[in-house]
Amino acid sequence: MKGDTEVVLMVVFFFVGFAIASFLACNDQSFIFSSIVNPLATLVAAFMGAWSAFKLQLLQKFEEEKKNQIAAGNRALSTLMQQINTLKLFQVDFIDPVRNDPIRHFAMRPLLTYHEDVIGFDFKSLDYLAQPQHQQTLFELSIEENNFRKALNLINARSRLHFEIVLPMLSRAGLKDGGKYTDKLMSTVI
């Protein structure tokens, strides 16, 4: 912006100097007005119009970019809330009901596979956070996404093991799903 102002001032001073020199060199006022002032005013008006249009376009581009960045930030916040909600619902629905059960590792129900790619950040739209003052935020979002994916992978692995190993083993031992068993009995089955 500072360079733009300097350029405008240099152009204005050039034309003002040219106009003053022409005025002093020529005594005929009508010649000066028709030959110098009119074209000079037209030239200055055209330049100022083009410069104003350029500045307006830059301002609109800046506003659009700012709007896109705000939308990308809001999408990132929404994604983060979805990730938190997914893990909180898993805790409420699967972990909390068996938290105090001595055989909670067996009593916690398995579930179908979570698809980890459904809830993720669009890091391409967040590239404006790559600036030095915001790099930490981008780094922390990346870590949280990795933590979320790891949690889903662990939930999926536990469910897979429960379906493939634990349930068949309990079934062979004659234990019914949902029955009340002690940790002592479970240790004999394993």
Side-chain angles (χ1 to χ4, degrees), residues 83 119-121 123 141-149:
Q83 290 175 348
I119 305 172
F121 294 106
F123 285 106
L141 283 175
S142 174
I143 288 174
E144 290 310 315
E145 180 163 345
N146 286 334
N147 288 340
F148 176 73
R149 292 186 189 285

Side-chain angles (χ1 to χ4, degrees), residues 3-13 15 39-55:
D4 294 341
T5 306
E6 291 171 353
V7 169
V8 169
L9 287 175
M10 288 190 315
V11 169
V12 168
F13 284 137
F15 284 115
L40 183 64
T42 304
L43 183 64
V44 168
F47 174 77
M48 293 305 290
W51 183 73
S52 298
F54 175 73
K55 286 298 185 180

